[in-house]
Amino acid sequence: MPKTAITPDDFASLYEGFTAPVSRFDCGRKCAPLNGGEPVCCSTQNAVPVVHKVEFELLKGRSDLWSKFTPYDYATRQIVAELTSDCMAIHCKGARHCERDNRTIACRGFPFYPYLTRERQFVGIGTYWVFEDRCWMMSNLEIVDRAFVEQFIATYEALFVKDGSEFTTYVDFSASARRVYSRWKREIPLLGRAGELLVVEPSTGTIRLGRKKDFPKARPFTSEKEYRAAIKEAGGEVPNQGLRAV
Ligand code: SF4
Ligand code: SF4
């Protein structure tokens, strides 16, 4: 795919087409008690947002919500050191100051990434597996809205046309997913382009339609007891309705 010069205006139009929430459920209420009261994906202790430098240019012109991220330990120095020259790490003022219209593509899409097959087909969206022990949403994929999946896919398809390096990044990332899950001897859960559950056999890349029992559940989201114990250990407060999506 040829590399074209992506502009701040391109990101502005991508933002306009990617407004759907992951689900109608405010999932931050479920993970924040495990994370000092802040949603896991909104604190750089957990997830450092990485953006295209052009995306930061757009955001800087629209808001003072974001600034350049300064690494504070070995792990975050590694993240910054491994960035490609057109990307940068940034951080926002925190969940209490969130501005919905000025969220990055990464914020809008979390906890998902575009999954590409070995044949480079964009068949669905996978989850950032390193967060499975903290992100409640990843253990509740059955409530992800179809509108979200469709907007996610349309956004990344448009992005891939504008910026071929993004496409290559996710071709490589999807290959890493297959390696990691293959090592774990686990199947990869995906949401297909119409929001359906798909399951990838990682060593062959074969994809089948998932069944209800294939929806992944990771600890501590496997049982009410596990969840409550994890919140207790983190010093948080159990939300109303506990683990359940109600
Ligand atoms: S997407 Fe995951 S990490 Fe982010 S707020 Fe929802 S449950 Fe928490
Ligand atoms: S902009 Fe909003 S969604 Fe994005 S990291 Fe900050 S608080 Fe979270």
Side-chain angles (χ1 to χ4, degrees), residues 110-125:
F110 194 89
F112 298 97
Y113 69 89
Y115 179 85
L116 299 149
T117 64
R118 283 180 184 165
E119 296 75 31
R120 302 182 158 217
Q121 296 299 310
F122 185 4
V123 290
I125 64 178

Side-chain angles (χ1 to χ4, degrees), residues 169-214:
T169 298
Y170 288 108
V171 165
D172 295 346
F173 192 78
S174 302
S176 314
R178 289 188 290 274
R179 277 195 299 278
V180 169
Y181 279 81
S182 186
R183 210 165 50 233
W184 285 346
K185 300 192 182 349
R186 277 170 52 182
E187 293 176 316
I188 307 174
L190 303 179
L191 292 176
R193 297 173 68 96
E196 76 283 19
L197 181 69
L198 298 176
V199 177
V200 183
E201 203 295 295
S203 56
T204 59
T206 315
I207 300 178
R208 67 173 167 86
L209 202 57
R211 281 171 290 180
K212 200 169 171 207
K213 69 171 184 47
D214 295 318

Side-chain angles (χ1 to χ4, degrees), residues 101-245:
D101 291 343
N102 291 321
R103 290 169 306 142
T104 63
I105 299 282
C107 297
R108 292 164 202 244
F110 194 89
F112 298 97
Y113 69 89
Y115 179 85
L116 299 149
T117 64
R118 283 180 184 165
E119 296 75 31
R120 302 182 158 217
Q121 296 299 310
F122 185 4
V123 290
I125 64 178
T127 51
Y128 286 112
W129 58 87
V130 292
F131 295 100
E132 69 175 10
D133 60 337
R134 285 154 287 163
C135 173
W136 176 91
M137 197 71 236
M138 289 174 58
S139 287
N140 288 274
L141 295 181
E142 54 275 43
I143 64 163
V144 173
D145 274 349
R146 183 175 174 156
F148 168 82
V149 178
E150 288 172 352
Q151 289 189 8
F152 185 111
I153 288 181
T155 300
Y156 275 91
E157 272 178 344
L159 187 58
F160 292 160
V161 170
K162 288 278 171 194
D163 185 357
S165 66
E166 282 282 325
F167 183 74
T168 316
T169 298
Y170 288 108
V171 165
D172 295 346
F173 192 78
S174 302
S176 314
R178 289 188 290 274
R179 277 195 299 278
V180 169
Y181 279 81
S182 186
R183 210 165 50 233
W184 285 346
K185 300 192 182 349
R186 277 170 52 182
E187 293 176 316
I188 307 174
L190 303 179
L191 292 176
R193 297 173 68 96
E196 76 283 19
L197 181 69
L198 298 176
V199 177
V200 183
E201 203 295 295
S203 56
T204 59
T206 315
I207 300 178
R208 67 173 167 86
L209 202 57
R211 281 171 290 180
K212 200 169 171 207
K213 69 171 184 47
D214 295 318
F215 279 104
K217 296 271 178 237
R219 291 181 71 188
F221 306 110
T222 38
S223 72
E224 190 67 43
K225 193 173 162 210
E226 292 261 5
Y227 180 57
R228 285 174 185 261
I231 291 179
K232 191 171 174 201
E233 202 184 320
E237 231 175 87
V238 177
N240 291 344
Q241 316 298 341
L243 183 59
R244 283 182 305 138

Side-chain angles (χ1 to χ4, degrees), residues 38-39 41-43 47 49 65-66 91-100 102-104 106-108:
E38 287 264 301
C41 55
C42 296
S43 64
L65 177 64
W66 293 98
H91 71 124
C92 79
K93 291 179 179 170
R96 268 179 295 275
H97 306 276
C98 189
E99 296 167 19
R100 217 177 148 67
N102 291 321
R103 290 169 306 142
T104 63
C107 297
R108 292 164 202 244

Side-chain angles (χ1 to χ4, degrees), residues 76-90:
T76 51
R77 273 192 291 278
Q78 284 295 106
I79 292 172
V80 171
E82 285 166 15
L83 293 175
T84 55
S85 62
D86 50 5
C87 286
M88 62 185 291
I90 61 175

